[in-house]
Coordinates of all heavy atoms in Angstrom, one line a residue:
M148 N 0.8 -1.2 0.0 CA 0.0 0.0 0.0 C 0.9 1.2 0.0 O 0.5 2.3 0.5 CB -0.9 0.0 1.2 CG -2.3 0.2 0.9 SD -3.4 0.1 2.3 CE -3.8 1.8 2.4
E149 N 2.0 1.2 -0.5 CA 2.9 2.3 -0.5 C 2.3 3.5 -1.3 O 1.8 3.4 -2.4 CB 4.2 1.9 -1.1 CG 5.3 3.0 -1.0 CD 6.7 2.4 -1.4 OE1 6.9 1.2 -1.2 OE2 7.4 3.3 -1.9
G150 N 2.4 4.7 -0.7 CA 1.9 5.9 -1.4 C 0.4 6.1 -1.4 O -0.1 7.0 -2.0
K151 N -0.3 5.3 -0.6 CA -1.8 5.5 -0.5 C -2.2 6.5 0.5 O -1.5 6.7 1.5 CB -2.4 4.2 -0.2 CG -2.2 3.0 -1.1 CD -2.8 3.3 -2.4 CE -2.6 2.1 -3.4 NZ -3.2 2.2 -4.6
R152 N -3.3 7.2 0.2 CA -3.7 8.3 1.1 C -4.9 7.7 2.0 O -5.7 7.0 1.5 CB -4.3 9.5 0.4 CG -3.2 10.3 -0.3 CD -3.8 11.5 -1.0 NE -2.7 12.2 -1.6 CZ -2.7 13.5 -1.6 NH1 -3.7 14.2 -1.2 NH2 -1.7 14.2 -2.2
G153 N -4.9 8.1 3.3 CA -6.0 7.8 4.2 C -6.8 9.0 4.3 O -6.4 10.2 4.2
A154 N -8.1 8.8 4.6 CA -9.0 9.9 4.8 C -9.2 10.2 6.3 O -8.9 9.4 7.2 CB -10.4 9.6 4.2
D155 N -9.8 11.4 6.6 CA -10.1 11.7 8.0 C -10.9 10.7 8.7 O -12.0 10.3 8.1 CB -10.7 13.1 8.0 CG -10.9 13.7 9.4 OD1 -10.1 13.3 10.3 OD2 -11.8 14.5 9.6
G156 N -10.5 10.2 9.9 CA -11.3 9.2 10.6 C -11.2 7.8 10.1 O -11.8 6.9 10.6
Q157 N -10.3 7.6 9.1 CA -10.2 6.2 8.5 C -9.1 5.4 9.3 O -8.1 5.9 9.7 CB -9.7 6.4 7.1 CG -9.6 5.1 6.4 CD -9.1 5.3 4.9 OE1 -8.7 6.3 4.5 NE2 -9.2 4.2 4.1
M158 N -9.4 4.1 9.5 CA -8.5 3.2 10.1 C -7.7 2.5 8.9 O -8.4 2.0 8.0 CB -9.2 2.2 10.9 CG -8.2 1.2 11.6 SD -9.0 0.0 12.6 CE -9.5 -1.2 11.4
I159 N -6.4 2.4 9.1 CA -5.6 1.7 8.1 C -4.9 0.6 8.7 O -4.2 0.9 9.7 CB -4.6 2.7 7.4 CG1 -5.4 3.8 6.7 CG2 -3.7 2.0 6.4 CD1 -4.6 4.9 6.2
M160 N -5.0 -0.6 8.2 CA -4.2 -1.7 8.7 C -3.1 -2.0 7.8 O -3.3 -2.2 6.6 CB -5.1 -2.9 8.9 CG -6.2 -2.7 10.0 SD -7.2 -4.1 10.2 CE -6.1 -5.3 10.9
F161 N -1.9 -2.2 8.4 CA -0.7 -2.5 7.6 C -0.4 -4.0 7.6 O -0.6 -4.6 8.7 CB 0.5 -1.7 8.1 CG 0.4 -0.2 8.0 CD1 -0.1 0.6 9.0 CD2 0.7 0.4 6.8 CE1 -0.3 1.9 8.9 CE2 0.5 1.8 6.7 CZ 0.1 2.6 7.7
A162 N 0.1 -4.5 6.6 CA 0.5 -5.9 6.5 C 1.6 -6.2 7.5 O 2.5 -5.3 7.8 CB 0.9 -6.3 5.1
P163 N 1.6 -7.3 8.2 CA 2.7 -7.6 9.2 C 4.0 -8.1 8.6 O 4.8 -8.7 9.3 CB 2.0 -8.7 10.0 CG 1.2 -9.4 9.0 CD 0.6 -8.4 8.1
D164 N 4.3 -7.8 7.4 CA 5.5 -8.3 6.8 C 6.6 -7.2 6.5 O 7.5 -7.5 5.9 CB 5.2 -9.0 5.4 CG 4.5 -8.0 4.5 OD1 4.2 -6.9 4.8 OD2 4.2 -8.5 3.3
G165 N 6.4 -6.1 7.1 CA 7.4 -5.0 6.9 C 8.2 -4.7 8.1 O 7.9 -5.2 9.2
D166 N 9.2 -3.9 8.0 CA 10.0 -3.5 9.1 C 9.8 -2.1 9.5 O 10.3 -1.7 10.6 CB 11.5 -3.6 8.7 CG 11.9 -5.1 8.4 OD1 11.4 -5.9 9.1 OD2 12.7 -5.3 7.5
A167 N 9.1 -1.3 8.7 CA 8.9 0.1 9.1 C 7.6 0.6 8.5 O 7.1 0.1 7.5 CB 10.0 1.0 8.6
V168 N 7.1 1.7 9.0 CA 5.9 2.4 8.5 C 6.3 3.9 8.4 O 6.9 4.5 9.3 CB 4.7 2.3 9.5 CG1 3.5 3.1 9.0 CG2 4.3 0.8 9.6
R169 N 6.0 4.4 7.2 CA 6.2 5.9 7.0 C 4.9 6.6 6.8 O 4.1 6.2 5.9 CB 7.1 6.1 5.8 CG 7.4 7.5 5.5 CD 8.3 7.6 4.3 NE 8.5 9.0 4.0 CZ 9.4 9.5 3.2 NH1 10.3 8.6 2.6 NH2 9.5 10.8 2.9
I170 N 4.7 7.6 7.6 CA 3.5 8.4 7.6 C 3.9 9.8 7.4 O 4.7 10.3 8.2 CB 2.6 8.2 8.9 CG1 2.3 6.7 9.1 CG2 1.4 9.1 8.8 CD1 1.7 6.4 10.4
E171 N 3.3 10.5 6.4 CA 3.6 11.9 6.2 C 2.4 12.7 5.7 O 1.5 12.1 5.1 CB 4.8 12.1 5.3 CG 4.6 11.5 3.9 CD 5.8 11.6 3.0 OE1 6.9 11.5 3.5 OE2 5.6 11.8 1.8
N172 N 2.4 13.9 6.0 CA 1.3 14.8 5.5 C 1.7 15.3 4.1 O 2.9 15.5 3.8 CB 1.2 16.0 6.5 CG -0.2 16.6 6.5 OD1 -1.1 16.1 5.8 ND2 -0.4 17.6 7.4
S173 N 0.7 15.4 3.3 CA 1.1 15.9 1.9 C 1.6 17.3 1.9 O 1.2 18.1 2.9 CB -0.2 15.8 1.0 OG -1.2 16.6 1.5
T174 N 2.3 17.7 1.0 CA 3.0 19.0 0.9 C 1.9 20.1 0.8 O 2.2 21.3 1.2 CB 4.0 19.1 -0.2 OG1 3.4 18.8 -1.4 CG2 5.2 18.2 0.1
D175 N 0.8 19.8 0.2 CA -0.3 20.8 0.0 C -1.3 20.8 1.1 O -2.4 21.4 1.0 CB -0.9 20.7 -1.4 CG -1.6 19.3 -1.6 OD1 -1.3 18.4 -0.8 OD2 -2.4 19.2 -2.5
A176 N -1.1 20.1 2.2 CA -2.1 20.0 3.3 C -2.3 21.3 4.0 O -1.4 22.1 4.1 CB -1.6 19.0 4.3
S177 N -3.6 21.6 4.3 CA -3.9 22.8 5.0 C -4.0 22.7 6.5 O -4.2 23.7 7.2 CB -5.2 23.4 4.4 OG -6.3 22.4 4.6
E178 N -4.0 21.4 7.0 CA -4.1 21.2 8.4 C -2.9 20.3 8.9 O -2.3 19.6 8.1 CB -5.4 20.5 8.7 CG -6.6 21.4 8.4 CD -7.9 20.7 8.8 OE1 -7.9 19.7 9.6 OE2 -9.0 21.1 8.3
T179 N -2.7 20.4 10.2 CA -1.7 19.5 10.8 C -2.2 18.1 10.8 O -3.3 17.8 11.0 CB -1.4 20.0 12.3 OG1 -1.1 21.3 12.3 CG2 -0.4 19.1 13.0
L180 N -1.3 17.2 10.6 CA -1.6 15.7 10.6 C -1.6 15.2 12.0 O -0.6 15.4 12.7 CB -0.6 15.0 9.7 CG -0.7 13.5 9.6 CD1 -2.0 13.1 8.9 CD2 0.5 12.9 8.9
E181 N -2.6 14.5 12.4 CA -2.7 13.9 13.7 C -2.9 12.4 13.4 O -3.8 12.0 12.7 CB -3.8 14.4 14.5 CG -3.6 15.9 14.9 CD -4.7 16.4 15.8 OE1 -5.6 15.6 16.2 OE2 -4.7 17.6 16.1
V182 N -2.1 11.5 14.1 CA -2.1 10.1 13.8 C -2.1 9.4 15.1 O -1.3 9.7 16.0 CB -0.9 9.7 12.9 CG1 -0.9 8.2 12.7 CG2 -1.0 10.4 11.6
L183 N -2.9 8.3 15.3 CA -2.8 7.4 16.4 C -2.3 6.1 15.9 O -3.0 5.5 15.0 CB -4.2 7.3 17.1 CG -4.3 6.2 18.2 CD1 -3.3 6.5 19.4 CD2 -5.7 6.0 18.6
V184 N -1.2 5.6 16.3 CA -0.6 4.3 15.9 C -0.7 3.3 17.0 O -0.2 3.6 18.1 CB 0.9 4.5 15.4 CG1 1.4 3.2 15.0 CG2 0.9 5.5 14.3
I185 N -1.3 2.2 16.7 CA -1.5 1.1 17.7 C -0.9 -0.1 17.1 O -1.2 -0.5 15.9 CB -2.9 0.9 18.1 CG1 -3.6 2.2 18.7 CG2 -3.1 -0.3 19.0 CD1 -5.0 2.1 18.9
A186 N 0.0 -0.8 17.8 CA 0.6 -2.0 17.3 C 0.4 -3.1 18.3 O 0.3 -2.9 19.5 CB 2.1 -1.7 17.1
G187 N 0.4 -4.3 17.8 CA 0.3 -5.5 18.6 C 0.4 -6.8 17.8 O 0.4 -6.7 16.6
V188 N 0.4 -7.9 18.5 CA 0.5 -9.2 17.9 C -0.9 -9.7 17.6 O -1.8 -9.6 18.6 CB 1.3 -10.2 18.8 CG1 1.3 -11.6 18.1 CG2 2.7 -9.7 19.0
P189 N -1.3 -10.1 16.4 CA -2.6 -10.6 16.2 C -2.9 -11.8 17.1 O -2.1 -12.7 17.3 CB -2.6 -11.1 14.7 CG -1.4 -10.4 14.1 CD -0.5 -10.2 15.2
L190 N -4.1 -11.8 17.7 CA -4.5 -12.9 18.6 C -5.0 -14.2 17.8 O -5.1 -15.2 18.4 CB -5.6 -12.4 19.5 CG -5.3 -11.3 20.5 CD1 -6.5 -10.9 21.3 CD2 -4.1 -11.7 21.4
N191 N -5.4 -14.0 16.6 CA -6.0 -15.1 15.8 C -7.1 -15.8 16.5 O -7.1 -17.0 16.5 CB -4.9 -16.0 15.3 CG -3.8 -15.3 14.5 OD1 -4.2 -14.5 13.6 ND2 -2.6 -15.6 14.7
E192 N -8.0 -15.1 17.1 CA -9.2 -15.6 17.8 C -10.4 -15.1 17.1 O -10.4 -14.0 16.5 CB -9.2 -15.2 19.2 CG -8.0 -15.8 20.1 CD -8.1 -15.3 21.5 OE1 -9.1 -14.6 21.9 OE2 -7.2 -15.7 22.3
P193 N -11.6 -15.8 17.3 CA -12.8 -15.3 16.7 C -13.2 -14.0 17.4 O -12.9 -13.8 18.6 CB -13.8 -16.4 17.0 CG -13.2 -17.3 18.0 CD -11.7 -17.1 17.9
I194 N -13.9 -13.2 16.7 CA -14.4 -11.9 17.2 C -15.9 -11.8 17.0 O -16.4 -12.0 15.9 CB -13.7 -10.7 16.5 CG1 -12.2 -10.8 16.8 CG2 -14.2 -9.4 17.0 CD1 -11.4 -9.8 16.0
A195 N -16.6 -11.4 18.1 CA -18.0 -11.1 18.1 C -18.1 -9.7 18.7 O -17.6 -9.4 19.7 CB -18.8 -12.1 18.8
R196 N -18.8 -8.8 18.0 CA -19.0 -7.4 18.5 C -20.4 -7.0 18.3 O -21.0 -7.3 17.3 CB -18.0 -6.5 17.9 CG -18.1 -6.4 16.4 CD -17.1 -5.4 15.8 NE -17.2 -5.3 14.4 CZ -16.5 -5.9 13.5 NH1 -15.5 -6.7 13.9 NH2 -16.7 -5.7 12.2
Y197 N -20.9 -6.2 19.3 CA -22.2 -5.6 19.2 C -22.2 -4.4 20.2 O -21.8 -4.6 21.4 CB -23.3 -6.6 19.5 CG -24.6 -6.0 19.3 CD1 -25.2 -6.0 18.0 CD2 -25.4 -5.5 20.3 CE1 -26.4 -5.5 17.7 CE2 -26.7 -4.9 20.0 CZ -27.2 -5.0 18.7 OH -28.4 -4.4 18.5
G198 N -22.6 -3.2 19.7 CA -22.5 -2.1 20.6 C -21.1 -1.8 21.1 O -20.2 -1.9 20.4
P199 N -21.0 -1.6 22.4 CA -19.7 -1.3 23.0 C -18.9 -2.6 23.3 O -17.8 -2.5 23.8 CB -20.0 -0.5 24.3 CG -21.3 -1.1 24.7 CD -22.1 -1.4 23.4
F200 N -19.5 -3.7 23.1 CA -18.8 -5.0 23.6 C -18.1 -5.7 22.4 O -18.7 -5.8 21.4 CB -19.9 -5.9 24.2 CG -20.5 -5.3 25.4 CD1 -21.9 -4.9 25.4 CD2 -19.8 -5.0 26.6 CE1 -22.5 -4.3 26.5 CE2 -20.4 -4.5 27.7 CZ -21.8 -4.1 27.6
V201 N -17.0 -6.2 22.7 CA -16.2 -7.0 21.8 C -15.8 -8.3 22.6 O -15.1 -8.2 23.6 CB -15.0 -6.3 21.2 CG1 -14.2 -7.2 20.3 CG2 -15.4 -5.0 20.5
M202 N -16.2 -9.4 22.1 CA -15.9 -10.7 22.8 C -15.5 -11.7 21.8 O -15.3 -11.4 20.6 CB -17.2 -11.2 23.6 CG -17.8 -10.1 24.5 SD -16.7 -9.6 25.8 CE -17.4 -10.5 27.1
N203 N -15.4 -13.0 22.2 CA -15.1 -14.0 21.2 C -16.3 -14.7 20.6 O -16.2 -15.3 19.5 CB -14.2 -15.1 21.9 CG -12.8 -14.5 22.2 OD1 -12.5 -14.4 23.4 ND2 -12.0 -14.2 21.3
T204 N -17.5 -14.7 21.3 CA -18.7 -15.4 20.8 C -19.9 -14.6 21.1 O -19.9 -13.7 21.9 CB -18.9 -16.8 21.5 OG1 -19.2 -16.5 22.9 CG2 -17.6 -17.7 21.4
E205 N -21.0 -14.9 20.3 CA -22.2 -14.2 20.6 C -22.8 -14.5 22.0 O -23.4 -13.6 22.6 CB -23.3 -14.6 19.5 CG -23.1 -13.9 18.2 CD -24.3 -14.2 17.3 OE1 -25.5 -14.1 17.7 OE2 -24.1 -14.5 16.1
T206 N -22.5 -15.7 22.5 CA -23.0 -16.0 23.8 C -22.3 -15.1 24.8 O -23.0 -14.6 25.8 CB -22.6 -17.5 24.2 OG1 -23.3 -18.3 23.2 CG2 -23.1 -17.9 25.6
E207 N -21.0 -14.8 24.7 CA -20.3 -13.9 25.6 C -20.9 -12.4 25.4 O -21.0 -11.7 26.4 CB -18.8 -13.9 25.3 CG -18.2 -15.2 25.7 CD -16.7 -15.3 25.3 OE1 -16.3 -14.6 24.3 OE2 -16.0 -16.0 26.0
I208 N -21.3 -12.0 24.2 CA -21.9 -10.7 24.0 C -23.2 -10.7 24.8 O -23.5 -9.7 25.5 CB -22.2 -10.5 22.5 CG1 -20.9 -10.3 21.8 CG2 -23.1 -9.2 22.3 CD1 -20.1 -9.1 22.0
H209 N -24.1 -11.7 24.7 CA -25.3 -11.7 25.4 C -25.1 -11.6 26.9 O -25.8 -10.9 27.7 CB -26.1 -12.9 25.1 CG -26.6 -13.0 23.7 ND1 -27.5 -12.1 23.1 CD2 -26.3 -13.8 22.6 CE1 -27.7 -12.3 21.9 NE2 -27.0 -13.4 21.5
Q210 N -24.1 -12.3 27.4 CA -23.7 -12.3 28.8 C -23.3 -10.9 29.3 O -23.6 -10.5 30.3 CB -22.7 -13.4 29.2 CG -22.3 -13.4 30.6 CD -23.5 -13.9 31.5 OE1 -24.1 -14.9 31.2 NE2 -23.8 -13.1 32.5
A211 N -22.5 -10.3 28.4 CA -22.0 -8.9 28.7 C -23.2 -7.9 28.9 O -23.2 -7.1 29.8 CB -21.1 -8.4 27.7
F212 N -24.2 -8.0 28.0 CA -25.4 -7.2 28.1 C -26.2 -7.5 29.3 O -26.6 -6.6 30.0 CB -26.3 -7.3 26.8 CG -25.9 -6.4 25.7 CD1 -25.2 -6.8 24.6 CD2 -26.3 -5.0 25.8 CE1 -24.9 -5.9 23.6 CE2 -25.9 -4.1 24.8 CZ -25.2 -4.6 23.7
E213 N -26.3 -8.8 29.6 CA -27.0 -9.2 30.9 C -26.3 -8.6 32.1 O -26.9 -8.1 33.0 CB -27.1 -10.7 30.9 CG -27.9 -11.2 32.1 CD -29.4 -10.7 32.1 OE1 -29.9 -10.4 31.1 OE2 -30.0 -10.6 33.2
D214 N -25.0 -8.7 32.1 CA -24.2 -8.2 33.2 C -24.4 -6.7 33.3 O -24.5 -6.2 34.4 CB -22.7 -8.5 33.1 CG -22.4 -10.0 33.3 OD1 -23.3 -10.7 33.8 OD2 -21.3 -10.4 32.9
Y215 N -24.4 -6.0 32.2 CA -24.6 -4.6 32.2 C -26.0 -4.2 32.8 O -26.1 -3.3 33.6 CB -24.4 -4.0 30.8 CG -24.7 -2.6 30.7 CD1 -23.8 -1.6 31.2 CD2 -25.9 -2.1 30.1 CE1 -24.1 -0.2 31.1 CE2 -26.2 -0.8 30.0 CZ -25.3 0.2 30.5 OH -25.6 1.5 30.4
R216 N -27.0 -4.9 32.3 CA -28.4 -4.6 32.7 C -28.5 -4.8 34.2 O -29.3 -4.1 34.9 CB -29.4 -5.5 32.0 CG -29.6 -5.1 30.6 CD -30.7 -5.9 30.0 NE -30.6 -5.8 28.5 CZ -30.1 -6.8 27.7 NH1 -29.7 -7.9 28.3 NH2 -30.0 -6.6 26.5
R217 N -27.8 -5.8 34.8 CA -27.9 -6.1 36.2 C -26.9 -5.3 37.1 O -26.8 -5.6 38.3 CB -27.7 -7.6 36.4 CG -28.9 -8.4 35.8 CD -28.7 -9.9 36.1 NE -29.8 -10.6 35.4 CZ -30.8 -11.2 36.1 NH1 -30.8 -11.2 37.4 NH2 -31.7 -11.9 35.4
G218 N -26.2 -4.4 36.4 CA -25.3 -3.6 37.2 C -24.0 -4.2 37.6 O -23.3 -3.8 38.6
R219 N -23.6 -5.3 36.9 CA -22.4 -6.0 37.3 C -21.1 -5.5 36.6 O -20.1 -6.1 36.7 CB -22.6 -7.5 36.9 CG -23.6 -8.2 37.7 CD -23.6 -9.7 37.4 NE -25.0 -10.2 37.6 CZ -25.5 -11.1 36.8 NH1 -24.9 -11.6 35.8 NH2 -26.8 -11.5 37.0
M220 N -21.2 -4.3 36.0 CA -20.0 -3.8 35.3 C -19.3 -2.8 36.2 O -18.3 -2.2 35.7 CB -20.5 -3.1 34.0 CG -21.1 -3.9 33.0 SD -19.8 -4.9 32.2 CE -20.7 -5.7 30.9
G221 N -19.7 -2.7 37.4 CA -19.0 -1.7 38.3 C -19.6 -0.3 38.1 O -20.6 -0.1 37.4
A222 N -19.1 0.6 38.8 CA -19.6 2.0 38.8 C -18.5 3.0 38.8 O -17.4 2.7 39.4 CB -20.5 2.2 40.1
I223 N -18.7 4.1 38.2 CA -17.7 5.2 38.1 C -18.1 6.1 39.2 O -19.2 6.6 39.3 CB -17.7 5.9 36.8 CG1 -17.3 4.9 35.7 CG2 -16.8 7.1 36.8 CD1 -17.5 5.4 34.3
K224 N -17.2 6.4 40.1 CA -17.4 7.3 41.2 C -16.5 8.5 41.1 O -15.4 8.4 40.8 CB -17.1 6.6 42.6 CG -18.0 5.4 42.8 CD -17.8 4.8 44.1 CE -18.7 3.6 44.3 NZ -18.7 3.0 45.6
S225 N -17.1 9.6 41.3 CA -16.3 10.8 41.2 C -15.9 11.4 42.5 O -16.3 11.0 43.6 CB -17.1 11.9 40.4 OG -18.3 12.1 41.0

């Protein structure tokens, strides 16, 4: 994907076969480039997602919603 442009708010995934990533703002850009780079080792596990929850199975998603409804997710105290 060398030389490709990303759009505002777009997520770009790089192939795991390189040694470096180069990110630059175009010379005619009118705004400062802001980038969030996150790296990690792929887990190679199944993914189920719905709403704010990401789990491995739909059953776990249902359990997460049930836990949330019953107040088992904890509380934020100020």
Side-chain angles (χ1 to χ4, degrees):
M148 233 177 108
E149 190 171 327
K151 301 290 184 180
R152 289 183 179 216
D155 186 27
Q157 182 180 14
M158 179 178 82
I159 299 172
M160 293 182 66
F161 296 96
D164 59 356
D166 293 324
V168 173
R169 180 178 173 165
I170 301 170
E171 60 184 32
N172 209 358
S173 61
T174 56
D175 61 345
S177 60
E178 296 182 18
T179 302
L180 179 65
E181 294 183 5
V182 178
L183 172 63
V184 178
I185 300 173
V188 177
L190 297 176
N191 298 320
E192 294 181 2
I194 297 172
R196 60 181 181 258
Y197 189 82
F200 301 110
V201 178
M202 308 298 258
N203 292 112
T204 66
E205 279 190 46
T206 302
E207 291 175 334
I208 294 287
H209 294 296
Q210 183 63 53
F212 270 103
E213 184 63 25
D214 290 346
Y215 174 74
R216 286 188 202 102
R217 293 182 183 249
R219 295 187 209 142
M220 294 285 183
I223 298 173
K224 297 183 181 186
S225 53

